[in-house]
């Protein structure tokens, strides 16, 4: 289909590389330096950049849409990252696990995406830079039917437009 | 007596449908239709009984077409769970012998309670179809019909005949001359390709309505014309659409600022109810298809979704988490004043009002399992019909007797298939589809 979360796997890889690189070299890599010093090949302001330097996802408990402390921390990093790239706009995708009905989960995904959006706005991000879309349970990240997979799928995913 | 009058009006509606199909009722259309058959009550199947009626459905006289017609009728009746066609090897007469005069004692001896005798005769470019239903104990004709139709329409003729037999012998309306629109699924779970598809209720005449380029969900039939309403992610904007099956024409429904979803027609076909989600809140709206004006029916911060009208159009049952978890509520069709009707253990979702008005079907989630169930509109009489890892999205056959739904099995390569089940909870059946399938919607009787 049209959208396949290409960032997800690459992002984890890049994030791992970045942590290693950050430990062994400078903790505060500059924008340009980040890609060269880690050997990663992502453009500044790209999806991969967001994933590596802020985190692209926040996670929710079952049938919940309130942000957890880790989610708030990720969104704070996203807000700082967005401040560096004023031309970047995001679409926040709301996702749900498969243990709910389709229509309710569409609404739940929309709630989750808006939780993330509202928090970013409260941190000073211009509302016009933040779209939302809900996929409910129809675009899972993890395809298993177990708690680990379901936890991966209860997500707000920030997609760089 | 009441039942007899219902049957009479049923015959009338049948005739109207046959005419609308472009079939010509032949002279004397109904063959020697007798009055009410006294012995008939003995054959009426009470709800929940599994005593299937043994019925003989030999090939119609008239070659291959006669054989095919009998096969479709037989498969329809068998699938209902209420009939048990007796094996062809036990038939005491050939189709041609049968046309002369049924040997009633021999057919009784073969174990049948009822006998279907028919023939097809080519007539110009068309075909004359004729059938009689015999009650074998009384040796009386229960019904008989003759009509002329385009030969290409033979499957519909067979379904109409099966509906007539079903209706005569069970007292319920038939549901075989109907279609299913659903979402055909293929590909890996995280990149599922979903296409609208439509087929006859027995799986024949399957065709795809959309290409699979856009994610599509939850198609539902108009009760009145060849329109379905569904949700599409066209242009990354999840919205409710109308789709004309005949012309292929599509249009977005309403100019809403947020995601619209969970659409369903009103019984008169003039309105669509749906949800709109915006800024983290989901409410129910009704849009009038004649004026395109919309009304907001619910308010407040809860998720209000999956609305479904009562058959008289006066009330709407819907899903809301206003009390903290997903439950079923009923409000007036004008909106407001929702009253909770589900009080059992677990979460309740996707309520759908039976076209007969007597039950509301739902999805129930409890202990990590999903069920399809029914309850009366006042919330009493809850009955669970199915259970699995994930059963979801009930839809009613137009006679309010059979429910279709989808079942997903767990895991990365789990299948998603359509099933049907009798409202009593018996007779669960896989509904064959070329690929995986979800979100079924049963059509009204074909026009």
């Amino acid at each position: 289909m049209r959208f396949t979360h290409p960032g997800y796997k690459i992002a984890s890889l890049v994030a791992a590389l970045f942590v290693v690189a950050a430990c062994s070299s400078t903790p505060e890599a500059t924008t340009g330096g980040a890609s060269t010093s880690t050997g990663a090949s992502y453009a500044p302001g790209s999806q991969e950049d967001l994933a590596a330097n802020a985190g692209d996802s926040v996670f929710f408990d079952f049938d919940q849409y309130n942000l957890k402390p880790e989610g708030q921390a990720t969104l704070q990093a996203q807000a700082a990252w967005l401040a560096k790239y004023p031309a970047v706009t995001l679409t926040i995708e709301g996702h749900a696990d498969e243990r709910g009905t389709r229509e309710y989960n569409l609404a739940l995904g929309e709630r989750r995406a808006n939780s993330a959006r509202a928090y970013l706005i409260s941190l000073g991000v211009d509302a016009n830079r933040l779209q939302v879309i809900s996929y409910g349970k129809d675009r899972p990240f993890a395809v298993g039917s177990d708690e680990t997979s379901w936890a991966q799928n209860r997500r707000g995913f920030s997609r760089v437009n | 007596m009441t039942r007899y009058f219902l049957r009479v009006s049923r015959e009338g509606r049948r005739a109207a449908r046959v005419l609308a199909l472009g079939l010509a009722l032949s002279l004397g259309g109904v063959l020697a239709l007798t009055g009410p058959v006294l012995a008939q009550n003995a054959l009426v199947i009470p709800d929940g009984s599994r005593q299937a009626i043994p019925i003989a459905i030999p090939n119609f006289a008239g070659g291959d077409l006669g054989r095919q017609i009998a096969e479709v009728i037989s498969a329809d009746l068998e699938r209902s769970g209420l009939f048990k066609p007796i094996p062809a090897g036990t038939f005491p007469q050939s189709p041609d012998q049968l046309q002369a005069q049924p040997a009633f004692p021999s057919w009784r001896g073969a174990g049948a309670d009822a006998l279907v005798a028919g023939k097809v005769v080519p007539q110009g470019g068309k075909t004359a179809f004729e059938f009689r239903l015999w009650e074998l104990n009384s040796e009386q004709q229960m019904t008989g019909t003759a009509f002329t139709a385009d030969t290409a329409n033979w499957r519909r003729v067979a379904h109409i005949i099966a509906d007539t037999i079903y209706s005569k012998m069970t007292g319920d309306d038939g549901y075989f001359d109907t279609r299913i629109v659903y979402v055909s699924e293929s590909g890996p779970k995280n990149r599922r390709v979903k296409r609208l598809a439509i087929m006859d209720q027995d799986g024949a005449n399957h065709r795809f309505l959309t290409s699979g380029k856009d994610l599509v969900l939850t198609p539902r039939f108009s009760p009145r014309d060849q329109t379905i309403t569904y949700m599409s992610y066209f242009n990354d904007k999840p919205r409710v659409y109308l789709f004309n099956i005949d012309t292929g024409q599509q249009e977005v429904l309403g100019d809403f600022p947020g995601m619209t979803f969970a659409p369903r027609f009103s019984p008169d076909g003039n309105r669509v109810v749906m949800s709109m989600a915006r800024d983290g809140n989901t409410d129910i709206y009704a849009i009038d298809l004649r004026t395109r004006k919309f009304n907001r029916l619910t308010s407040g911060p809860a998720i209000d979704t999956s609305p479904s009208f009562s058959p008289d159009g006066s009330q709407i049952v819907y899903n809301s988490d206003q009390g903290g978890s997903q439950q079923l509520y009923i409000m007036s069709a004008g909106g407001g004043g929702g009253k909770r009707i589900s009080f059992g253990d677990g979460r309740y979702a996707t309520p759908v009002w039976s076209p007969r008005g007597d039950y509301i079907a739902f999805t129930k989630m409890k202990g990590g399992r999903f069920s399809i169930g029914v309850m009366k509109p006042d919330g009493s009489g809850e009955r669970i019909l199915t259970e699995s890892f994930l059963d979801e999205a009930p839809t009613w056959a137009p006679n309010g007797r059979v429910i279709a739904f989808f079942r997903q099995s767990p895991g990365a390569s789990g299948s998603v298939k359509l099933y049907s089940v009798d409202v009593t909870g018996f007779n669960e059946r896989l509904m064959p589809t070329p690929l995986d399938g979800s979100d079924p919607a049963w059509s009204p009787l074909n026009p």
Side-chain angles (χ1 to χ4, degrees), chain B residues 7 106 128 265:
Chain B
R7 276 201 304 274
S106 307
F265 283 96

Side-chain angles (χ1 to χ4, degrees), chain A residues 26-124:
Chain A
T26 53
E28 290 275 47
T30 61
T31 316
S35 43
T36 45
S37 71
T38 61
S41 55
Y42 54 77
S46 66
Q47 184 73 48
E48 293 76 14
D49 188 2
L50 174 71
N53 293 307
D56 56 16
S57 295
V58 296
F59 298 93
F60 299 88
D61 287 339
F62 177 70
D63 199 16
Q64 298 296 314
Y65 61 101
N66 56 301
L67 294 166
K68 298 191 278 188
E70 315 87 80
Q72 290 182 345
T74 301
L75 293 170
Q76 285 159 18
Q78 287 188 11
W81 185 87
L82 284 165
K84 284 206 292 185
Y85 302 107
V88 169
T89 63
L90 295 182
T91 297
I92 305 167
E93 299 178 1
H95 296 273
D97 69 34
E98 66 191 1
R99 289 178 306 157
T101 43
R102 192 180 321 287
E103 291 175 343
Y104 180 85
N105 277 6
L106 286 169
L108 179 60
E110 204 266 350
R111 267 183 176 171
R112 287 174 174 164
N114 272 291
S115 285
R117 179 176 188 266
Y119 191 68
L120 286 172
I121 291 170
S122 78
L123 296 172

Side-chain angles (χ1 to χ4, degrees), chain B residues 8-26:
Chain B
V8 171
S9 79
R10 178 74 188 160
E11 295 286 339
R13 271 183 289 154
R14 273 293 173 199
R17 286 171 53 218
V18 166
L19 289 169
L21 179 62
L23 312 179
L25 283 169
S26 69

